[in-house]
Amino acid sequence: NWWYGGHVYTYLLLKDGNDINRLQAKMPAFFNNHMKKTFDEFSGKGELAFQPLTDIYLGPEYVWEAYPHGSKTNVFALQVVMIFLLIFACVNYVNLATAFAAERATEVGIRKMLGSSRKFLLIQFLSESILLAVFSGFMALMLSWILLPYFSGLAGLHINSQRLFSLENIGIVVALSFCIGIVAGVFPAFYLASINSLNVLKGKFMNSEKGEIVRRILVSGQYFITALLLTGVLIVAHQTKFIMNKDLGFNKSNLVELSIPKDSVVQQHLDVFKQELRKSGNVLETSLTDFSMNKEANSFSPTLKNPDGTTFQMGCDVAWIDAVFLKTIDAKIIIGRNFIDGSEADEDGAIMINETAMKKFGWKDNVLLGEMSAFTPREPVKFKVVGVIKDFSLGASYQLVHPMIFFFRGNRDGSSLYARIDNSQQASTAINNIQVAWEKIFPRQPMEYKFVDDSLNAIYEKEQRFLSLLINFSVIIIGIAALGIIGLISFTVQRKKKEIAIRKVLGSSVRGIITLLSGRFAKMLVISNILAAPVSYYLVSKWLNNFAYRIDITLWPFVFAFTVCGLLTAISVFYHTSIAASANPVDSLKCE
């Protein structure tokens, strides 16, 4: 008959054979018959929606959810990263298989001369790729078993190692390995099977221009994905650091929250308990409230009166506090005054609001003339604004700060008691003294407490886990990309050993030879990073849209990604080319 907010979650078990869509279709009529009248009185709108139980964890996070949620966006991002991992493995196989085709050319030529058909050669090379992939799949399964404890801790999961070796998982590994073997092996198989046997036996085989173009495209793709991941990891890390270190508007350190039982004996003796805490010497201040700093507050739609007498309704969060609450949490008043301890006038007719409420209500110029004139249209009241509190966050720091109205409760009952402990002493000593005081005043009630900074940090657990997983997967992918690029650079230098020797004989310096050979990789690197930049920007912007407070995307992550790729390439080119250029030209040319 009073509040109309959705303060509880309702769970329904449908009978077998019933269709949730049919039930959903009846809800508008149900709402109109039983709820619409109440909502109309508040100028509000309502909808009854159903959500499958298994969709809750990765679904939208509603107010006062019972348990923390995961992130569908983060899961999707990790799936994309794992797909990149598989792509890199395939790309490296294609690159190296086609690059070293010359080593298989004589074999192919002889097989063709002895009557092997192109179809037989295709089957042979595809079979090699598939067998290698399936063997790697089983090796990966064993490695996963070894690394499972580390991964479980990293992801916050509890996975039974025996599940890895279930028939279903083994079947998935075999099927996935088989598919990877086909995808990675199909181009090298066609490439090797199409080698001209006559040219090979005459000693005229060369890697075709077509194969070279494919390799360049694939290497550019590796550069592209590497730049994409490096940029993404840096921005995710920056955003995670930002939300964890963002100014909350109050001091969360050395602040303890005690849960107060809904017990009349406890509520009546809270003043005695607070006095006992102050005697301990470890507690600087205590405050009683009806909300928790790590959760959103209650909400309602009061009627508010402007200084000119006009009224309006607006959704607000509401909280009851005492006169020392702001001092206890170390929050600031920017306009007006605090509640006065023991003042019945403040308890019956004064409110404080936060900065956001002042702006939303349009009271910037004359906020102390504003009033709240009704809780609901049926409940007229008169509460005058006596002060404005600097915005502070409830719950996650990246969620919008809502308009908030604070009422004065005095020293009456509450659900949370906050204690500011002396930071010059050990926290464990303070907790022990609080425990002693609790057991002395409330011997039959267990004490439940938490440090506010710990409960707030737990909110960011999914972001921290996402960052950890992203970093680990990205390191693996970048390592695989590095191996592929280094292998291809090594092969390119090996193919050009004679050219390097001739250039050296004709007077070229080692520096000039390095510059010449690094040119092609530099072009691929620059083009790939230029193409990756807008894609990275778009993807991280989509991810950042999940946060009401977010960092600005700057240039440095893109520059860093380009620098890392460039250094990786430069070191590899310099190393291999230096060895080739420093070698005796006679050794490279004597086979002629």
Side-chain angles (χ1 to χ4, degrees):
N1 295 323
W2 189 7
W3 300 107
Y4 75 102
H7 296 168
V8 295
Y9 287 93
T10 304
Y11 296 87
L12 306 177
L13 179 63
L14 298 187
K15 294 181 179 179
D16 292 339
N18 280 359
D19 183 3
I20 188 63
N21 294 321
R22 290 175 58 196
L23 183 61
Q24 182 71 65
K26 296 180 179 181
M27 288 302 102
F30 180 90
F31 177 85
N32 290 336
N33 292 336
H34 301 285
M35 304 170 73
K36 188 174 185 300
K37 181 181 176 182
T38 304
F39 274 71
D40 286 345
E41 291 180 7
F42 293 93
S43 300
K45 296 180 180 179
E47 178 186 355
L48 294 171
F50 298 104
Q51 184 183 33
L53 195 66
T54 51
D55 289 355
I56 293 174
Y57 184 71
L58 293 180
E61 193 160 352
Y62 300 115
V63 178
W64 304 320
E65 289 272 22
Y67 303 100
H69 276 224
S71 169
K72 196 172 185 177
T73 303
N74 291 356
V75 171
F76 175 75
L78 291 173
Q79 287 173 335
V80 171
V81 170
M82 287 185 280
I83 290 170
F84 283 161
L85 180 59
L86 296 178
I87 290 173
F88 269 29
C90 295
V91 165
N92 280 348
Y93 183 84
V94 172
N95 270 340
L96 297 177
T98 56
F100 289 93
E103 296 183 2
R104 306 291 301 270
T106 304
E107 175 194 345
V108 172
I110 292 173
R111 283 181 178 278
K112 281 190 172 182
M113 294 299 293
L114 294 176
S116 289
S117 64
R118 188 165 180 265
K119 181 179 179 181
F120 178 83
L121 291 171
L122 280 172
I123 294 172
Q124 176 196 339
F125 293 127
L126 263 178
S127 299
E128 290 177 3
S129 173
I130 292 169
L131 285 173
L132 181 61
V134 171
F135 177 75
S136 300
F138 281 105
M139 289 291 290
L141 196 61
M142 295 304 298
L143 190 61
S144 297
W145 177 66
I146 294 170
L147 295 176
L148 186 62
Y150 171 74
F151 176 77
S152 296
L154 192 67
L157 303 173
H158 303 283
I159 305 173
N160 188 340
S161 59
Q162 293 179 352
R163 288 177 58 189
L164 279 176
F165 298 100
S166 66
L167 290 177
E168 181 184 1
N169 274 356
I170 292 174
I172 291 173
V173 169
V174 171
L176 184 60
S177 302
F178 190 84
C179 292
I180 292 172
I182 293 175
V183 170
V186 66
F187 179 79
F190 275 98
Y191 181 73
L192 290 168
S194 62
I195 291 174
N196 188 310
S197 57
L198 190 60
N199 287 338
V200 171
L201 298 178
K202 285 181 179 180
K204 295 181 180 179
F205 174 77
M206 293 178 63
N207 279 300
S208 70
E209 185 64 26
K210 186 184 294 184
E212 182 67 20
I213 292 172
V214 171
R215 280 193 295 279
R216 289 189 184 185
I217 292 172
L218 294 177
V219 170
S220 297
Q222 286 187 312
Y223 279 134
F224 177 88
I225 295 174
T226 302
L228 207 67
L229 287 174
L230 279 173
T231 305
V233 167
L234 288 171
I235 292 175
V236 169
H238 191 191
Q239 174 66 16
T240 303
K241 183 179 178 182
F242 169 75
I243 62 177
M244 293 195 67
N245 297 320
K246 181 180 176 291
D247 181 17
L248 299 174
F250 69 95
N251 182 7
K252 64 180 180 179
S253 302
N254 302 304
L255 189 61
V256 179
E257 178 186 357
L258 283 77
S259 297
I260 305 302
K262 292 295 183 183
D263 181 280
S264 58
V265 175
V266 173
Q267 298 288 341
Q268 290 169 9
H269 292 81
L270 285 174
D271 278 346
V272 179
F273 174 63
K274 290 165 71 175
Q275 291 171 10
E276 197 72 26
L277 289 182
R278 293 190 187 97
K279 291 179 185 177
S280 69
N282 302 107
V283 177
L284 302 177
E285 194 57 80
T286 60
S287 175
L288 196 61
T289 71
D290 70 331
F291 63 95
S292 294
M293 303 299 294
N294 64 325
K295 296 178 182 178
E296 292 185 56
N298 204 339
S299 59
F300 74 132
S301 297
T303 301
L304 301 151
K305 182 184 287 188
N306 291 315
D308 62 5
T310 58
T311 61
F312 64 96
Q313 281 184 279
M314 183 171 290
C316 303
D317 287 353
V318 58
W320 275 264
I321 61 174
D322 57 23
V324 291
F325 172 74
L326 299 178
K327 182 180 177 182
T328 304
I329 70 167
D330 195 13
K332 309 298 181 187
I333 296 175
I334 57 173
I335 298 175
R337 64 171 176 84
N338 195 1
F339 294 127
I340 300 172
D341 196 14
S343 171
E344 293 184 7
D346 277 2
E347 197 164 340
D348 296 333
I351 57 172
M352 299 179 73
I353 62 175
N354 64 353
E355 281 181 281
T356 298
M358 178 178 69
K359 295 171 185 175
K360 292 274 188 180
F361 299 166
W363 293 349
K364 287 185 181 180
D365 299 326
N366 45 13
V367 63
L368 297 182
L369 298 178
E371 294 181 11
M372 191 186 94
S373 59
F375 277 104
T376 71
R378 297 194 299 267
E379 298 168 294
V381 292
K382 187 175 182 180
F383 284 91
K384 292 184 177 181
V385 177
V386 297
V388 178
I389 302 170
K390 183 178 175 60
D391 279 344
F392 61 83
S393 298
L394 292 179
S397 63
Y398 53 77
Q399 293 176 340
L400 280 174
V401 175
H402 299 163
M404 203 161 182
I405 296 177
F406 298 88
F407 294 91
F408 184 40
R409 171 165 270 160
N411 294 315
R412 289 187 296 170
D413 59 338
S415 59
S416 296
L417 188 145
Y418 287 93
R420 169 72 62 187
I421 62 176
D422 188 350
N423 60 5
S424 65
Q425 302 180 31
Q426 288 188 347
S428 58
T429 303
I431 293 299
N432 287 336
N433 289 338
I434 293 172
Q435 182 81 48
V436 169
W438 181 275
E439 291 175 355
K440 178 180 177 181
I441 308 299
F442 312 119
R444 297 183 180 180
Q445 293 285 352
M447 187 179 88
E448 295 181 11
Y449 75 94
K450 56 191 173 186
F451 284 92
V452 172
D453 53 357
D454 289 340
S455 59
L456 288 173
N457 288 338
I459 296 174
Y460 312 120
E461 190 174 5
K462 67 184 177 207
E463 280 77 25
Q464 290 178 302
R465 283 179 177 166
F466 174 61
L467 178 60
S468 299
L469 287 168
L470 191 61
I471 289 173
N472 278 267
F473 284 130
S474 298
V475 166
I476 295 171
I477 289 176
I478 292 166
I480 292 174
L483 290 174
I485 292 168
I486 290 169
L488 205 58
I489 290 172
S490 174
F491 168 75
T492 302
V493 172
Q494 189 71 22
R495 278 184 58 203
K496 292 185 174 292
K497 282 180 69 175
K498 291 185 176 64
E499 178 184 340
I500 292 171
I502 293 170
R503 285 180 179 276
K504 190 173 180 182
V505 169
L506 295 176
S508 290
S509 64
V510 174
R511 181 179 178 183
I513 294 170
I514 291 174
T515 302
L516 179 71
L517 289 177
S518 61
R520 73 166 65 180
F521 289 100
K523 288 178 183 176
M524 290 188 286
L525 174 64
V526 171
I527 292 171
S528 300
N529 275 265
I530 289 174
L531 293 175
V535 178
S536 299
Y537 185 89
Y538 172 77
L539 292 176
V540 295
S541 295
K542 293 278 285 183
W543 183 76
L544 287 172
N545 286 339
N546 294 314
F547 304 92
Y549 302 100
R550 43 172 283 184
I551 60 171
D552 294 323
I553 301 175
T554 56
L555 189 62
W556 75 268
F558 303 93
V559 174
F560 181 83
F562 176 79
T563 303
V564 169
C565 293
L567 282 174
L568 175 68
T569 304
I571 292 170
S572 182
V573 170
F574 178 79
Y575 174 76
H576 290 100
T577 308
S578 296
I579 293 175
S582 303
N584 191 335
V586 175
D587 295 333
S588 300
L589 298 172
K590 62 183 179 182
C591 62
E592 297 293 336

